């Protein structure tokens, strides 16, 4: 018997806005000038929050911080597409979208300053805590999406992670389970080209990460992750599919981590300056600003006003962080079990006694 074709897959890529600020009018989503300016503001807020965190860390006022510079379009675009009933399941480089989904920035700062109260999000904010173990959040996204489906809720679970996390078994288990049970899930890979010091081509032999979706029977799409309009459009389509019972979607957003992996890293040891400089020309914030200027939506006066607003907002977040009362050391022990076992009671007594001296 001759061999016959049993499956053929095509992975598409979506781009709308180029580096000079020109958009494909046929693909452009219907967004008013006011909304576009709000999206730009969201991205500038993220960069300001990120820049301030780096300074706080260098001053010894915060612990390790994973920079998001260069990845703002992904988080702003996905956040804008999400609805009030959707859930966000972040990894550890999702400060921007967490803030846009309702987590106060000073609590995000607090978490990275070593204060677990940073994970106590306000009532009604549908954002999971930070997931530092690489890849574990993918399975959470499948589980939450399946729960939403079983409850009959017209909502979706949106999970984000980096390209490095796709090399973990958790990713593949999550995709397989989501595909089989058609969970209300949207998975967004922030492909920033580097898993700490490991480049993408050493992580996978696949041409794209989006094509991995085909193995699990779910739609996969690659987008220009520095194009906020492309990210938004892809996210809207995926969310509509998930909420209507059509199952999960995998989106690969191609971007670049312009900073270090974390403040404990020195990317100059493994990346070429020319590579970073090339990606600087694709900056998502300057790209969107060019679009707005080209279409008479923005000018220098608006930019100066926004800069002042962002600086004032950041100062407020830092003040809120530093005005938080000291942590109660008993909280380390109090939330592990419904009824605290004897050995933890003993340990808590020792810690409280030492603190009280």
């Amino acid at each position: 018997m001759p061999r016959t074709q049993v499956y053929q897959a095509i992975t598409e890529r979506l781009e709308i806005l180029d580096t000079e600020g020109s958009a494909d009018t046929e693909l452009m989503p219907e967004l008013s000038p006011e909304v576009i300016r709000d999206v730009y503001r969201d991205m500038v807020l993220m960069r300001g929050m990120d820049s301030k965190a780096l300074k706080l860390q260098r001053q010894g006022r915060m612990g390790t911080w994973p920079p998001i510079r260069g990845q703002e379009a992904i988080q702003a675009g996905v956040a804008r597409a999400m609805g009030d009933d959707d859930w966000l399941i972040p990894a550890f480089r999702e400060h921007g979208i967490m803030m846009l989904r309702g987590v106060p920035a000073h609590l995000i700062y607090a978490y990275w300053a070593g204060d677990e109260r940073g994970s106590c999000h306000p009532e009604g904010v549908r954002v999971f805590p930070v997931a530092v173990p690489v890849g574990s959040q993918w399975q959470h996204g499948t589980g939450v999406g399946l729960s939403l489906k079983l409850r009959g809720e017209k909502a979706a679970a949106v999970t984000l992670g980096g390209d490095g996390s796709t090399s973990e078994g958790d990713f593949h288990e999550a995709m397989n389970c989501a595909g089989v049970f058609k969970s209300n899930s949207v998975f967004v890979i922030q492909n920033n080209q580097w898993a700490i010091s490991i480049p993408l081509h050493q992580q996978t032999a696949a041409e794209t990460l989006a094509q991995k979706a085909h193995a699990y029977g779910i739609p996969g799409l690659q987008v220009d992750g520095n194009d906020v309009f492309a990210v938004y459009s892809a996210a809207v389509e995926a969310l509509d599919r998930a909420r209507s019972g059509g199952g999960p979607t995998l989106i690969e957003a191609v971007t670049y981590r312009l900073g270090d992996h974390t403040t404990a890293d020195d990317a100059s040891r493994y990346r070429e300056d020319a590579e970073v400089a090339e990606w600087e020309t694709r900056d998502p914030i300057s790209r969107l600003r060019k679009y707005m200027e080209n279409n008479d939506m923005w000018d220098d006066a608006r930019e100066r006003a926004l800069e002042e607003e962002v600086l004032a907002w950041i100062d407020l977040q830092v003040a809120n962080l530093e005005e938080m009362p000291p942590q109660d050391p008993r909280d380390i022990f109090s939330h592990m079990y419904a009824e605290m076992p004897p050995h933890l009671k003993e340990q808590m007594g020792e810690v409280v006694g030492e603190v009280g001296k």
Side-chain angles (χ1 to χ4, degrees):
M1 293 285 293
R3 296 182 182 181
T4 58
Q5 180 174 302
V6 294
Y7 181 76
Q8 183 178 14
I10 296 175
T11 299
E12 296 181 334
R13 177 181 170 92
L14 177 63
E15 300 176 61
I16 298 176
L17 184 66
D18 67 21
T19 57
E20 299 306 312
S22 296
D24 186 323
T25 55
E26 293 185 3
L27 298 175
M28 185 69 186
E30 294 185 9
L31 296 171
S32 68
E34 290 76 19
V35 170
I36 292 172
R37 284 193 288 263
D38 285 345
V39 170
Y40 180 73
R41 175 182 177 274
D42 291 342
M43 293 166 67
V44 174
L45 278 177
M46 287 186 212
R47 184 157 295 184
M49 181 177 75
D50 187 58
S51 177
K52 185 63 176 181
L54 293 173
K55 294 173 183 174
L56 292 172
Q57 194 279 333
R58 297 310 188 201
Q59 294 167 358
R61 298 157 70 188
M62 182 181 291
T64 302
W65 177 263
I68 61 172
R69 183 167 172 264
Q71 301 182 206
E72 295 90 352
I74 301 171
Q75 300 190 31
V78 173
R80 184 62 52 168
M82 293 176 69
D84 292 341
D85 294 331
D86 296 326
W87 283 86
L88 173 67
I89 295 88
F92 55 83
R93 202 184 303 277
E94 280 68 44
H95 328 302
I97 191 171
M98 290 176 68
M99 179 263 295
L100 295 180
R101 293 294 297 168
V103 181
H106 79 276
L107 289 183
I108 298 173
Y109 281 168
Y111 175 84
W112 292 100
D115 191 332
E116 283 294 338
R117 290 174 298 177
S119 296
C120 296
H121 302 159
E123 187 71 26
V125 173
R126 294 192 164 200
V127 178
F128 268 41
V130 168
V132 173
V134 177
S136 63
Q137 78 281 3
W138 296 118
Q139 297 202 38
H140 302 158
T142 295
V144 175
L146 181 56
S147 175
L148 293 171
K149 176 185 178 181
L150 295 175
R151 292 166 181 247
E153 295 187 32
K154 301 299 182 182
V158 179
T159 308
L160 284 80
D163 49 290
S165 66
T166 67
S167 297
E168 299 288 338
D170 305 67
F171 171 79
H172 302 280
E173 292 165 4
M175 296 304 118
N176 190 59
C177 186
V180 170
F181 294 104
K182 295 191 180 301
S183 63
N184 293 15
S185 305
V186 176
F187 304 104
V188 182
I189 303 170
Q190 295 191 95
N191 178 6
N192 63 24
Q193 311 300 314
W194 290 89
I196 310 183
S197 58
I198 304 299
L200 184 65
H201 69 84
Q202 291 184 12
Q203 297 180 59
T204 180
E207 185 70 21
T208 70
L209 296 176
Q211 72 195 61
K212 295 178 184 288
H214 298 301
Y216 306 111
I218 66 177
L221 175 68
Q222 184 185 83
V223 302
D224 181 343
N226 287 7
D227 173 356
V228 70
F229 297 141
V231 174
Y232 170 79
S233 296
V236 166
E237 179 182 326
L239 284 162
D240 286 346
R241 179 181 295 117
R243 296 186 195 116
S244 63
T249 304
L250 177 65
I251 299 171
E252 175 195 3
V254 180
T255 184
Y256 193 79
R257 190 194 77 217
L258 291 173
D260 298 323
H261 175 70
T262 69
T263 48
D265 174 45
D266 179 5
S268 66
R269 295 171 63 92
Y270 54 82
R271 297 196 308 200
E272 298 293 333
D273 291 343
E275 177 182 290
V276 179
E278 168 60 26
W279 278 94
E280 288 276 9
T281 66
R282 309 178 196 178
D283 185 288
I285 292 180
S286 61
R287 184 186 300 195
L288 182 55
R289 180 177 177 181
K290 289 176 183 177
Y291 171 83
M292 293 191 300
E293 290 173 339
N294 292 345
N295 290 274
D296 298 322
M297 298 180 191
W298 202 251
D299 53 34
D300 290 342
R302 288 181 184 269
E303 184 71 17
R304 287 192 297 270
L306 178 58
E307 289 174 356
E308 292 176 2
E309 177 191 349
V310 170
L311 289 174
W313 176 80
I314 290 170
D315 287 344
L316 176 62
Q317 302 310 312
V318 175
N320 289 342
L321 167 68
E322 296 183 338
E323 289 172 2
M324 291 177 68
Q327 300 178 71
D328 186 338
R330 287 171 293 192
D331 287 346
I332 300 172
F333 306 91
S334 299
H335 305 292
M336 187 66 68
Y337 297 94
E339 183 175 345
M340 191 182 302
H343 71 280
L344 283 188
K345 290 182 180 179
E346 181 181 353
Q347 292 176 23
M348 184 174 71
E350 293 175 356
V351 169
V352 172
E354 286 295 323
V355 171
K357 290 180 179 179

